[in-house]
Amino acid sequence: MWLGPEEVLLAGALWVTERANPFFLLQRRRGHGKGGGLTGLLVGTLDVVLDSSARVAPYRILHQTQDSQVYWAVACGSSRKEITKHWEWLENNLLQTLSIFDNEEDITTFVKGKIHGIIAEENKNEQPQSEEDPGKFKEAELKMRKQFGMPEVEKLVNYYSCSYWKGRVPRQGWLYLTVNHLCFYSFLLGKEVTLVIQWVDVTQLEKNATLLFPECIKVNTRDNELYFSMFLNINETFKLMEQLANIAMRQLLDNESFLQDKSLPKPRKPLKNISALKRDLDARAKNECYRATFRLPKDECLDGHTDCTLWTPFNKMHIPGQMFVSNNYICFASKAEEACHLIIPLREVTIVEKADSSSVLPSPLSISTKSKMTFFFANLKDRDFLVQRISDFLQRTPSKKPCSSDREWKWNLADPGCEEVPELPSSSPLAVSPTSALSNRPVSFCAGEVPTASQGLLKLFRRNSEELLGPKGAKEKMKEESWNIHFFEYGRGMCMYRTAKTRELVQKGIPENLRGELWLLFSGAWNEMVTHPSYYADLVEKSMGKYNLATEEIERDLHRSMPEHPAFQNELGIAALRRVLTAYAFRNPTIGYCQAMNIVTSVLLLYCNEEEAFWLLVALCERMLPDYYNTRVVGALVDQGIFEELTREYLPQLSEKMQDLGVISTISLSWFLTLFLSVMPFESAVVIVDCFFYEGIKFILQVSLAILDANMEKLLQCCDEGEAMTILGRYLDNVVNRQSVSPPIPHLHALLTSGDDPPLEIDIFELIKTSYEKFSSLKADDIEQMRFKQRLKVIQSLEDTAKKSVVRAVSSDIGFSIEELEELYVVFKAKYLMSCYWGNNRAAAARRDQSLPYLEQYRIDMEQFKELFIGLTPWSCGAHTPVLAGRLFRLLDENRDSLINFKEFVTGMSGMYHGDLTEKLKVLYKLHLPPALNPEEAESALEATSYFTEDVTTEETQEDKGRRNENGPEKEEKGTSPQDYRYYLRMWAKEKESKKETIKDLPKMSQEQFIELCKTLYNMFSEDPVEQELYHAIATVASLLLRIGEVGKKFSNRPMRKSEDCKGNNTQDPVSEEESPTSEQSQNSAVEQQPQADHEDKTCGDAQPEKTQQENQSLGEGSGEGQGSPLQLLSDDETKDDMSMSSYSMVSTGSLQCEDIADDTVLVGCEGSSSAARYGSTIDTDWSISFEQILASMLTETALVNYFEKKVNILQKIKDQKKVERQFSSSSDYELSSVSG
């Protein structure tokens, strides 16, 4: 490639000059190519350690002038061919021009200008997709592709200098992190280390420090444990590795492939050596953290953040922290944890203005909202730019219609300003709650059906009002008053200041009248509901009346959802629950419906109306409890792993005992999936839900640890799992909420409580207080870090389970061992995954359905199958191999959807590797019959031949139908009608009988199909050690079978003739005998496939009379043996043996000519010839041969028998396949792309 001229001071150092002229030098790097000795090893080591560009481009061209000591690098190349091309261009186009100049400075200026012009011209034609990437980074990406054989679509994210520990020896080199792979390369004094690991294979990734490895990164796969150390910035490297591994896990979990975000804003300053992809991933990490911190919708993207201070009127202070600005929100987080969090939706902002600066309050900014609240930020760097960004986002914020403002801003009408106190009667907090506001608006999702629950069901089904007048009622009023005072001081609605005081109030329990409102606020569900006003109503309308697997499961579980509560003992509550769950199943078909969602949703409906409950469910399933409610409850398993880890850390004495009993895995799923609602009395569990919506999963883990801690002594004395479960069950049954104003609801789980002693009651608020006192050191960030670690473990464990299930399911029918099947599964899955991230389209990802059984989840198409077939088949046919692969694919694709699953794949492989000669030949035979043999492969360009081909197909179909009627349904396997094929498959499923196919069931083979079979066999033997012996054998067999086909044709024609033709049989025979050389000659031309066939036909013609005479004699002998039953002659076993014996009389004269044919065939290959050349002038439609005849003929040749019966080790082929499976494009294509660079 041409280089922008760079100055080189020492032209001779580490380089060898190979060509020179007065103005240019062509040099090669020392040690590159053959030889090099010690100097070459040292130079190679230096290049790797110093990341020299000479490693990827070992050739260069320098420009020089006679009197100057300075050289200019103008071109480099990765191969001699590339650099020679540049050299010749310079010699042809510049040398004569340069000799005219007198001044050397003019020469250099002219050369530099010319080179810059060439580069500009080249860049004009290139796509500017990676123009953001710096030059040094592009060079590194080129090195990565060249070194590890990666295709163009595999993008480098970043690269780092580090050491890989091989044993106890560190190997200094370079770690390349790409989207799908971790790669490492080192070259030290001739010792080369190359590592390539797919991210989807990583089972553990952790940063640790040991005596042996000071601060290193450990990467575990199923087979290896790798250590990398000596990083310049280990934290940055580890964080990026985590991100990439996480993307890979998401791909395994829900088929999300990585798509680069092209809409990232360009950096204000050029970033050195940071790729656009790295910026993209950094932005993703920040976005995720931002959304999690402030509970924002999943599509919210952080634009930027800056340090500032916020004036907090409740304590009259300027709190230092950071302001975050995104498309729709301005947020603030204090540096001191929990001092203050603030979320200001831009939809509520009315004024943004710069206030006057002072020494006390530099660069202040005032933001006012529709609720008359004003927020003061100060100490802002670059305030003008910030105001401009906020103004831009405000302009894009959609303006709301006045009619909807009543509904959308209802809370804020009661929000206090900084100075004003609103008159809000303490006895009517519902006046401003979302529940009451929405209840004023009639909603009719489905007219004529059960009325919609337009407010929380608890208000409609309050059974006992006496509690409201007693001490519990007074306590509830006090709670409401406390919250009203809090709203007055800290604001109400989305713009409320959230502080430690807010958390304290939540811990004491949210009043029932405010529960729905505050759940919506703290979870962030309110934001999504306000920005999607009619989304739920539309979804309900679309989903009602439609049925699928999810709706069936929902119907089954409706009456199991809190059946003890009066709200769900009537159709109003049941209908509301049905609508919410069905709407969510239609919103998110990936999750659909999962057990436990019904319990959680029923509780949400008690305090919220349907729409609010729906958006709370969205917040739960998609943000607060990610991956909990999918088919494999991965999220709950991940948090269960975290719980085990925390138990080891906080309760080490109990941890080992719990592991022995196996209790944690049993209890945690029911605790986490239902947020304790299914294991605790309702009045107590709902307080847990209050704290969960404020704190997130951190609180659930905290309480779980507190429960174990409270029962430690009893659990340590347990003998088995059942006893431990009973202890915990009794404990949870007796967690009571003495402040609840609702009457106690019978708890089904309480049946566990037994014994004479009255149970000890535990106050829920005491339990919560204890959990904060003992386990408040848990941090949300730490939990996210642990989630990543556990996610790797859980997903890889699920993948291993899937592999074992699939292998167990197919092992009974397949000849491979369990080990071989597992290895084949790994290769098969890897091929599928490559199509997901290296394919030109994303169709591969779309065809994986998580709801299908494991066996059906990974399916590959024909192109992927061909790649696997070429690497694994024991029948290597050179250039003909892809054709054979295509035929096998069509044979295996029983349902004709152009995809095959793992079972179909190993069935095809097993047919080639296992079984005796007969079984293997049967597979080969089937590959040359429909549906494996594509009709297109059997078509001729000539109209006449095309006509005959159609004729053959028609005859064949009729023959097949007759044979099916005679011998049973399995014959349809080779039929040409897909409808009949599917009919018989259904019939077999009903009968549930596995009828073994016999060789008599196989249809006969036509002449053109036999030609294809011969071609395959000739190609198959081309790379075998006993190649000549095999060619001689197959030539003999082919010659024999051609004659047998001719004899069969005569006998098959005989009964169809009229009686008068039979009388004249003696006169007809000579004609038939004369015809046979002609048809054999056409057969020869068909097998030869040579464009220059005319000359060879003459040669064949010269040898023909002698051959014809002997052949006629042989045919006469053969025809005389079976006069009694001409139709059954060639399928009779005794006759076959006689025929095989008589074949030896033909070998002497027939084999030579067939050997010539074989040689011709090998030279041509499989695809080069035209259809016309393939078939000669005509195809004999009456000619046919049976599988039994082919088998009998093959058995006469020891070389063929040995070839098909020899054992091939598939594990070695799998090992070789794994080495090359990452090279998506062919090596020749890659060479070209890397050379053109």
Side-chain angles (χ1 to χ4, degrees):
M1 59 188 287
W2 296 104
L3 301 174
E6 297 174 1
E7 199 171 296
V8 177
L9 294 175
L10 296 170
L14 309 180
W15 293 84
V16 180
T17 301
E18 293 197 335
R19 294 193 193 179
N21 62 40
F23 302 105
F24 298 101
L25 298 175
L26 189 155
Q27 296 186 323
R28 172 179 55 82
R29 189 71 165 175
R30 282 188 195 278
H32 180 76
K34 293 180 181 178
L38 182 61
T39 312
L41 292 178
L42 288 168
V43 172
T45 304
L46 273 174
D47 286 345
V48 169
V49 173
L50 301 176
D51 194 31
S52 165
S53 58
R55 185 155 61 87
V56 71
Y59 297 94
R60 71 178 183 184
I61 296 175
L62 301 180
H63 164 63
Q64 62 158 8
T65 49
Q66 290 180 348
D67 299 331
S68 173
Q69 297 300 313
V70 178
Y71 296 81
W72 297 88
V74 294
C76 68
S78 58
S79 66
R80 191 179 294 276
K81 181 180 176 184
E82 181 187 7
I83 204 70
T84 304
K85 182 180 169 187
H86 290 336
W87 178 263
E88 287 172 353
W89 188 91
L90 290 170
E91 282 193 325
N92 296 336
N93 294 282
L94 288 191
L95 278 187
Q96 288 185 345
T97 311
L98 294 178
S99 58
I100 299 169
F101 288 96
D102 296 329
N103 188 340
E104 290 187 353
E105 285 184 12
D106 293 345
I107 293 175
T108 303
T109 305
F110 179 79
V111 168
K112 285 161 76 175
K114 196 72 177 171
I115 299 300
H116 281 303
I118 295 170
I119 293 170
E121 191 63 33
E122 282 181 352
N123 290 344
K124 191 195 302 180
N125 300 326
E126 286 183 4
Q127 292 181 347
Q129 55 184 10
S130 60
E131 62 183 21
E132 295 175 11
D133 294 344
K136 183 76 175 169
F137 186 86
K138 286 181 184 174
E139 192 180 283
E141 191 165 46
L142 190 63
K143 286 177 200 167
M144 179 273 295
R145 293 216 180 99
K146 180 179 169 63
Q147 194 63 57
F148 305 105
M150 296 289 176
E152 288 285 334
V153 289
E154 181 68 349
K155 298 294 183 186
L156 179 65
V157 181
N158 214 348
Y159 62 106
Y160 302 93
S161 172
C162 69
S163 290
Y164 160 62
W165 291 79
K166 194 168 184 183
R168 295 190 177 183
V169 181
R171 298 294 178 88
Q172 185 65 28
W174 289 86
L175 184 72
Y176 296 90
L177 304 180
T178 73
V179 172
N180 302 299
H181 294 85
L182 176 153
C183 309
F184 177 83
Y185 179 76
S186 168
F187 180 88
L188 290 174
L189 299 177
K191 300 278 186 181
E192 191 175 51
V193 177
T194 305
L195 290 175
V196 177
I197 298 163
Q198 288 187 332
W199 288 118
V200 289
D201 292 334
V202 173
T203 57
Q204 191 178 3
L205 190 63
E206 58 183 39
K207 183 176 64 174
N208 53 23
T210 62
L211 290 173
L212 185 60
F213 307 117
E215 204 175 28
C216 66
I217 293 174
K218 183 170 83 167
V219 181
N220 281 11
T221 64
R222 288 178 178 82
D223 308 318
N224 298 309
E225 198 171 84
L226 311 170
Y227 290 89
F228 300 93
S229 66
M230 301 185 194
F231 290 92
L232 290 174
N233 189 342
I234 192 168
N235 291 327
E236 181 198 325
T237 311
F238 183 69
K239 192 175 171 186
L240 181 57
M241 289 167 83
E242 271 191 333
Q243 260 189 296
L244 293 168
N246 218 4
I247 289 169
M249 290 308 105
R250 289 241 67 90
Q251 187 182 34
L252 285 177
L253 178 61
D254 53 20
N255 239 22
E256 278 185 18
S257 51
F258 179 80
L259 290 171
Q260 186 179 350
D261 184 2
K262 302 287 186 185
S263 61
L264 276 180
K266 291 193 176 181
R268 295 168 71 188
K269 298 175 186 175
L271 301 169
K272 188 182 179 186
N273 288 353
I274 296 182
S275 66
L277 257 180
K278 175 72 167 64
R279 286 180 50 233
D280 181 2
L281 286 169
D282 289 345
R284 283 177 191 226
K286 286 178 182 175
N287 286 337
E288 283 170 17
C289 183
Y290 169 63
R291 289 193 293 260
T293 304
F294 299 103
R295 306 271 168 81
L296 299 177
K298 290 184 83 172
D299 55 355
E300 196 62 24
C301 293
L302 179 65
D303 187 68
H305 57 92
T306 181
D307 290 336
C308 67
T309 58
L310 171 67
W311 170 252
T312 50
F314 52 86
N315 60 1
K316 307 291 188 290
M317 286 177 64
H318 288 283
I319 298 180
Q322 281 194 316
M323 176 197 278
F324 301 84
V325 179
S326 60
N327 315 24
N328 302 296
Y329 299 90
I330 298 170
C331 301
F332 174 85
S334 58
K335 289 191 176 171
E337 192 181 2
E338 298 216 350
C340 182
H341 269 211
L342 179 66
I343 302 168
I344 309 171
L346 291 181
R347 62 178 180 269
E348 296 199 14
V349 172
T350 53
I351 301 169
V352 178
E353 59 182 350
K354 294 181 275 189
D356 295 333
S357 290
S358 67
S359 56
V360 181
L361 212 61
S363 305
L365 180 67
S366 160
I367 298 176
S368 301
T369 66
K370 294 176 181 177
S371 59
K372 309 285 191 297
M373 290 183 78
T374 305
F375 303 95
F376 289 102
F377 297 91
N379 294 289
L380 287 159
K381 301 172 188 172
D382 209 349
R383 181 179 60 167
D384 295 342
F385 176 75
L386 181 66
V387 171
Q388 183 59 50
R389 292 302 291 163
I390 294 173
S391 301
D392 292 345
F393 288 133
L394 278 171
Q395 285 174 3
R396 293 180 212 159
T397 304
S399 58
K400 304 295 177 186
K401 295 177 184 177
C403 63
S404 65
S405 63
D406 176 41
R407 176 178 174 227
E408 292 180 4
W409 315 118
K410 60 190 175 299
W411 293 350
N412 301 312
L413 297 176
D415 283 348
C418 294
E419 306 291 332
E420 300 172 18
V421 183
E423 294 181 7
L424 193 96
S426 60
S427 61
S428 59
L430 288 177
V432 290
S433 79
T435 308
S436 65
L438 285 172
S439 66
N440 295 332
R441 173 176 167 264
V443 185
S444 57
F445 293 131
C446 36
E449 290 197 11
V450 178
T452 302
S454 56
Q455 57 181 322
L457 294 173
L458 205 59
K459 296 183 181 66
L460 301 175
F461 295 92
R462 195 183 294 281
R463 289 186 300 178
N464 190 350
S465 58
E466 292 177 11
E467 294 284 356
L468 295 173
L469 304 173
K472 288 185 178 179
K475 183 78 174 173
E476 186 78 358
K477 292 291 180 191
M478 286 173 63
K479 281 188 187 178
E480 288 178 9
E481 191 59 39
S482 299
W483 275 99
N484 284 328
I485 293 168
H486 185 272
F487 292 150
F488 164 64
E489 290 184 3
Y490 295 86
R492 189 170 190 173
M494 278 314 296
C495 300
M496 176 169 64
Y497 293 99
R498 302 168 197 217
T499 66
K501 175 74 173 168
T502 316
R503 191 180 73 177
E504 284 173 27
L505 283 175
V506 171
Q507 285 172 32
K508 290 174 183 173
I510 298 174
E512 287 193 353
N513 289 333
L514 294 175
R515 199 160 256 149
E517 172 186 340
L518 293 174
W519 283 1
L520 284 163
L521 268 187
F522 297 146
S523 65
W526 178 248
N527 285 320
E528 292 191 273
M529 188 170 74
V530 168
T531 50
H532 299 84
S534 59
Y535 180 85
Y536 175 69
D538 295 342
L539 205 55
V540 168
E541 199 174 327
K542 287 176 192 170
S543 62
M544 291 313 284
K546 294 188 178 167
Y547 297 96
N548 55 29
L549 184 62
T551 56
E552 285 177 26
E553 291 176 349
I554 289 167
E555 286 299 324
R556 196 168 57 238
D557 284 353
L558 283 176
H559 295 278
R560 302 176 191 169
S561 309
M562 295 190 70
E564 65 275 16
H565 197 287
F568 297 100
Q569 291 168 359
N570 65 82
E571 192 54 34
L572 176 64
I574 294 292
L577 184 59
R578 177 188 291 117
R579 280 191 291 270
V580 173
L581 290 173
T582 307
Y584 187 77
F586 274 79
R587 168 190 164 86
N588 191 342
T590 309
I591 291 177
Y593 170 74
C594 173
Q595 281 189 336
M597 284 170 73
N598 59 323
I599 296 170
V600 175
T601 309
S602 57
V603 173
L604 299 178
L605 279 167
L606 289 176
Y607 297 99
C608 309
N609 69 28
E610 277 185 40
E611 186 175 12
E612 293 164 351
F614 171 79
W615 286 111
L616 276 169
L617 185 63
V618 169
L620 268 175
C621 296
E622 296 175 15
R623 287 188 284 111
M624 299 189 74
L625 296 176
D627 307 318
Y628 260 59
Y629 300 105
N630 56 26
T631 48
R632 299 191 277 182
V633 292
V634 172
L637 292 171
V638 167
D639 287 346
Q640 175 185 299
I642 294 174
F643 184 41
E644 289 181 19
E645 203 173 320
L646 292 172
T647 309
R648 279 195 296 274
E649 184 181 338
Y650 287 99
L651 307 169
Q653 297 168 294
L654 190 58
S655 172
E656 198 173 327
K657 181 73 174 178
M658 296 294 276
Q659 287 293 108
D660 294 341
L661 295 175
V663 175
I664 287 186
S665 57
T666 314
I667 57 173
S668 52
L669 278 183
S670 59
W671 293 3
F672 297 165
L673 277 169
T674 63
L675 304 175
F676 287 95
L677 288 164
S678 63
V679 293
M680 236 183 228
F682 170 73
E683 307 82 31
S684 306
V686 82
V687 181
I688 299 272
V689 178
D690 290 343
C691 296
F692 165 74
F693 276 123
Y694 189 78
E695 295 270 21
I697 193 64
K698 164 182 175 288
F699 177 75
I700 299 292
L701 292 165
Q702 233 174 249
V703 170
S704 303
L705 289 170
I707 292 167
L708 290 187
D709 185 48
N711 291 278
M712 188 185 292
E713 288 182 15
K714 290 180 182 176
L715 289 170
L716 287 172
Q717 293 168 8
C718 286
C719 301
D720 57 36
E721 182 187 358
E723 190 180 347
M725 291 292 293
T726 305
I727 288 168
L728 290 168
R730 283 180 186 165
Y731 178 86
L732 290 167
D733 284 336
N734 293 294
V735 176
V736 296
N737 179 2
R738 297 190 181 95
Q739 300 175 13
S740 174
V741 291
S742 297
I745 295 167
H747 183 45
L748 298 179
H749 201 262
L751 295 171
L752 281 168
T753 305
S754 61
D756 301 329
D757 300 331
L760 181 68
E761 290 189 342
I762 303 98
D763 187 72
I764 182 64
F765 298 105
E766 284 299 318
L767 178 62
I768 290 172
K769 185 180 174 185
T770 306
S771 76
Y772 274 102
E773 286 171 356
K774 292 191 174 182
F775 307 107
S776 61
S777 56
L778 277 179
K779 297 285 182 289
D781 291 345
D782 296 339
I783 289 170
E784 280 307 312
Q785 184 71 31
M786 291 161 82
R787 266 182 169 172
F788 162 73
K789 183 179 170 184
Q790 291 298 331
R791 195 178 291 120
L792 276 183
K793 195 182 292 183
V794 167
I795 292 177
Q796 295 294 14
S797 171
L798 288 170
E799 288 295 313
D800 288 343
T801 305
K803 179 170 73 175
K804 286 174 185 170
S805 300
V806 170
V807 167
R808 195 164 52 245
V810 302
S811 58
S812 56
D813 308 327
I814 305 295
F816 291 116
S817 68
I818 296 292
E819 183 192 1
E820 289 169 340
L821 283 171
E822 286 184 349
E823 290 296 322
L824 280 168
Y825 181 81
V826 170
V827 173
F828 183 86
K829 182 175 127 186
K831 183 58 66 181
Y832 164 81
L833 288 172
M834 277 182 198
S835 69
C836 290
Y837 50 71
W838 280 354
N840 293 329
N841 55 23
R842 301 282 167 180
R847 65 176 179 247
R848 183 184 176 202
D849 184 354
Q850 295 277 357
S851 63
L852 289 173
Y854 287 136
L855 188 60
E856 292 285 340
Q857 284 193 12
Y858 296 117
R859 294 180 295 167
I860 59 174
D861 58 24
M862 185 181 284
E863 288 309 309
Q864 295 165 297
F865 177 78
K866 282 182 180 178
E867 290 164 20
L868 282 177
F869 182 89
I870 290 166
L872 299 176
T873 180
W875 298 343
S876 180
C877 301
H880 192 65
T881 309
V883 178
L884 202 62
R887 290 176 190 165
L888 182 57
F889 183 88
R890 286 190 288 274
L891 184 66
L892 297 172
D893 182 20
E894 294 180 351
N895 59 357
R896 301 288 178 270
D897 63 351
S898 301
L899 296 169
I900 62 168
N901 63 28
F902 179 68
K903 183 172 184 178
E904 292 164 336
F905 169 71
V906 290
T907 302
M909 286 289 133
S910 184
M912 295 184 286
Y913 275 94
H914 298 289
D916 55 12
L917 170 72
T918 308
E919 292 301 315
K920 290 179 180 175
L921 279 180
K922 198 191 288 182
V923 173
L924 197 60
Y925 186 82
K926 286 181 185 178
L927 292 181
H928 297 84
L929 295 172
L933 188 72
N934 197 334
E936 293 171 10
E937 293 178 327
E939 282 179 3
S940 169
L942 299 173
E943 286 184 12
T945 314
S946 175
Y947 169 77
F948 282 117
T949 306
E950 288 167 13
D951 211 73
V952 171
T953 310
T954 311
E955 273 189 27
E956 210 170 40
T957 308
Q958 296 297 331
E959 191 180 333
D960 282 1
K961 284 181 181 173
R963 197 175 286 106
R964 279 200 298 276
N965 293 336
E966 282 181 39
N967 297 317
E970 63 260 18
K971 287 300 170 42
E972 182 54 29
E973 188 162 335
K974 291 290 149 269
T976 54
S977 168
Q979 289 181 345
D980 291 347
Y981 187 74
R982 286 195 291 273
Y983 163 75
Y984 279 108
L985 277 177
R986 285 195 296 273
M987 196 173 78
W988 289 341
K990 287 177 187 173
E991 292 175 358
K992 292 185 179 176
E993 291 179 4
S994 55
K995 296 182 180 179
K996 189 162 183 179
E997 185 182 55
T998 66
I999 57 176
K1000 290 183 182 294
D1001 297 331
L1002 294 167
K1004 287 191 175 184
M1005 185 176 271
S1006 69
Q1007 190 179 65
E1008 59 187 343
Q1009 291 161 355
F1010 180 71
I1011 291 168
E1012 290 294 333
L1013 177 62
C1014 289
K1015 189 199 304 184
T1016 300
L1017 288 167
Y1018 287 134
N1019 281 291
M1020 195 183 288
F1021 305 143
S1022 63
E1023 298 170 11
D1024 199 271
V1026 289
E1027 185 181 336
Q1028 289 305 316
E1029 193 179 338
L1030 285 166
Y1031 278 151
H1032 182 85
I1034 196 59
T1036 306
V1037 169
S1039 174
L1040 170 61
L1041 288 169
L1042 289 172
R1043 293 171 176 79
I1044 291 174
E1046 289 300 323
V1047 174
K1049 183 179 74 171
K1050 289 200 298 179
F1051 285 114
S1052 63
N1053 286 344
R1054 187 172 298 170
M1056 291 185 284
R1057 293 170 186 160
K1058 293 179 182 178
S1059 57
E1060 55 263 36
D1061 291 338
C1062 294
K1063 289 175 187 174
N1065 197 23
N1066 293 334
T1067 57
Q1068 291 289 329
D1069 281 341
V1071 179
S1072 304
E1073 287 170 4
E1074 285 175 14
E1075 281 176 359
S1076 64
T1078 313
S1079 57
E1080 181 162 354
Q1081 198 166 355
S1082 71
Q1083 175 72 29
N1084 290 346
S1085 65
V1087 179
E1088 282 171 3
Q1089 309 174 41
Q1090 288 292 344
Q1092 62 270 31
D1094 294 339
H1095 169 69
E1096 297 192 2
D1097 279 353
K1098 290 176 186 174
T1099 314
C1100 294
D1102 295 338
Q1104 203 64 37
E1106 180 184 343
K1107 182 176 175 183
T1108 304
Q1109 187 178 354
Q1110 187 166 357
E1111 180 183 323
N1112 291 346
Q1113 185 181 349
S1114 302
L1115 291 173
E1117 290 170 10
S1119 61
E1121 286 173 8
Q1123 294 281 341
S1125 57
L1127 278 174
Q1128 298 298 322
L1129 170 71
L1130 294 178
S1131 62
D1132 184 80
D1133 288 341
E1134 290 182 2
T1135 310
K1136 267 192 308 193
D1137 292 340
D1138 292 343
M1139 214 50 190
S1140 302
M1141 292 302 293
S1142 68
S1143 70
Y1144 287 110
S1145 63
M1146 318 177 197
V1147 171
S1148 55
T1149 56
S1151 60
L1152 178 62
Q1153 189 162 350
C1154 287
E1155 279 186 75
D1156 295 340
I1157 293 169
D1159 291 339
D1160 292 341
T1161 308
V1162 172
L1163 285 169
V1164 171
C1166 69
E1167 298 179 83
S1169 60
S1170 69
S1171 301
R1174 182 186 300 168
Y1175 297 120
S1177 56
T1178 61
I1179 293 293
D1180 193 338
T1181 55
D1182 296 331
W1183 191 98
S1184 67
I1185 199 85
S1186 72
F1187 174 73
E1188 296 151 288
Q1189 291 163 340
I1190 292 175
L1191 175 62
S1193 305
M1194 290 275 199
L1195 288 169
T1196 62
E1197 296 294 334
T1198 311
L1200 292 175
V1201 172
N1202 291 342
Y1203 177 84
F1204 282 104
E1205 290 194 339
K1206 71 181 176 186
K1207 300 290 181 187
V1208 182
N1209 183 8
I1210 194 169
L1211 289 175
Q1212 184 57 45
K1213 285 188 172 285
I1214 292 171
K1215 193 176 175 183
D1216 297 339
Q1217 172 68 17
K1218 282 182 178 177
K1219 289 178 184 174
V1220 298
E1221 67 187 3
R1222 69 179 182 276
Q1223 299 189 11
F1224 183 80
S1225 55
S1226 67
S1227 56
S1228 58
D1229 290 343
Y1230 169 66
E1231 273 304 318
L1232 289 171
S1233 63
S1234 64
V1235 165
S1236 62

